[in-house]
Amino acid sequence: MRQVGAGPGTLALDLCCGPGVVTAGLHSAGAEAIGLDFSPAMFQLARRNVPEAEFIESDAMHLPFEDVRFDAVTIGFGILHVPDPISVLAEAHRVLRLGGRLSFSVWHGPTIPTVFGDLFQVIGRHGDPSVQLPPGPGLHDYADPEIVVPALTNTGFSDISQTVVQNVVETNNADDIVTLFMEGTVRGGILLRSQPPDALADIRAAMIKLIKSTYGSNGPWRLPMPSVVSAATAA
C-alpha cells in the first residue's frame, strides 16, 4: 500500500478487486476500502474474504461515483482484463482528488525470465490456435513504460514511477504450474480451460520439460514471476 500512501483517514477504491486481496491490504493498512468488480462471482468471494470492506458490483470503465471522491485508487492485475484500459485510467483520475494516488500492477513481460511468459510460449506452440483470449490489451502492454507513461500522462496523471517486484512461485511438482494458472488466473485460465484434452496434455508435458530444463531437473523449484507496479499522482 506504500505506492498510494494508504493509511488511517484514507478513502481508497480497489478496482477489478477480484477476490479482495488488495482490498484486504488497504483495510489492514487502516484505510477505508471500497472494492469494485464486474464479476458477480468475484464480488461475492471478495465479500466473504474481507467482510469489513464495502464491495460494489460495477464496471471499472464507468464508475458509479462522483468526481474527486477518493484519496487512492488501486488496480491489482486487473488493467489487462478490461477492453479499454484508457477509460479505466480516465475514470480513476476523475474520482481521485487532486494529489490522490493511483497504483496498478501487471505481470512483467518476456524481457526477463518469467514462468508466466514461459507458459504462454508453451501454449502458443502446443495449444489449439482456435482458442483465443477475450478482448483486452496485450498481456504485458501495461508493464511497458512506452505505453504506461503516455497513457497516464494523457489521462491527467503526473509523478509516474514503475517498480519491478521479484515474485516467485514455489512448487515441488512441476505439473502444479499449469493447474495454478488454470485455476488462479483470468486470461491464462480461459486459455487453458478452453483447450481440447489432447492439447492440454501436450501443454502440461511441454511445461514440465521446460521447467526441468530451464530451472533445474529436480524440485523444489522457485520459479520467477516478476510483476511491475506503476504509480502516479492525479494532477
Side-chain angles (χ1 to χ4, degrees), residues 1 14 16-28 46 49-50 55 76-77:
M1 304 306 109
D14 183 25
C16 309
C17 67
V21 174
V22 176
T23 318
L26 292 166
H27 178 77
S28 296
N49 289 341
V50 198
F55 290 96
F77 299 100

Side-chain angles (χ1 to χ4, degrees), residues 33-185:
I34 298 175
L36 181 145
D37 203 286
F38 72 92
S39 165
M42 285 297 178
F43 172 78
Q44 295 301 330
L45 182 59
R47 221 175 202 175
R48 291 196 298 270
N49 289 341
V50 198
E52 308 88 350
E54 178 183 354
F55 290 96
I56 295 173
E57 183 183 337
S58 191
D59 182 354
M61 297 185 293
H62 305 283
L63 296 177
F65 304 110
E66 66 272 19
D67 295 355
V68 297
R69 176 174 177 182
F70 294 94
D71 302 300
V73 173
T74 57
I75 313 170
F77 299 100
I79 197 76
L80 58 86
H81 301 312
V82 296
D84 185 1
I86 296 297
S87 292
V88 175
L89 297 178
E91 279 289 88
H93 184 272
R94 179 182 66 78
V95 301
L96 277 168
R97 63 172 177 79
L98 184 65
R101 294 283 288 168
L102 167 72
S103 177
F104 63 86
S105 54
V106 296
W107 299 117
H108 202 293
T111 55
I112 61 176
T114 163
V115 71
F116 198 43
D118 293 338
L119 177 60
F120 273 87
Q121 289 181 29
V122 166
I123 293 173
R125 291 196 299 269
H126 299 279
D128 185 335
S130 69
V131 178
Q132 298 294 316
L133 286 170
L139 287 173
H140 308 295
D141 283 0
Y142 281 79
D144 184 346
E146 293 188 4
I147 292 175
V148 170
V149 173
L152 288 171
T153 301
N154 293 337
T155 50
F157 290 94
S158 62
D159 188 25
I160 299 164
S161 65
Q162 290 189 293
T163 304
V164 177
V165 181
Q166 298 292 349
N167 312 294
V168 296
V169 178
E170 298 188 26
T171 182
N172 289 302
N173 183 353
D175 190 45
D176 286 347
I177 293 301
V178 172
T179 302
L180 170 67
F181 281 98
M182 188 185 305
E183 298 178 353
T185 66

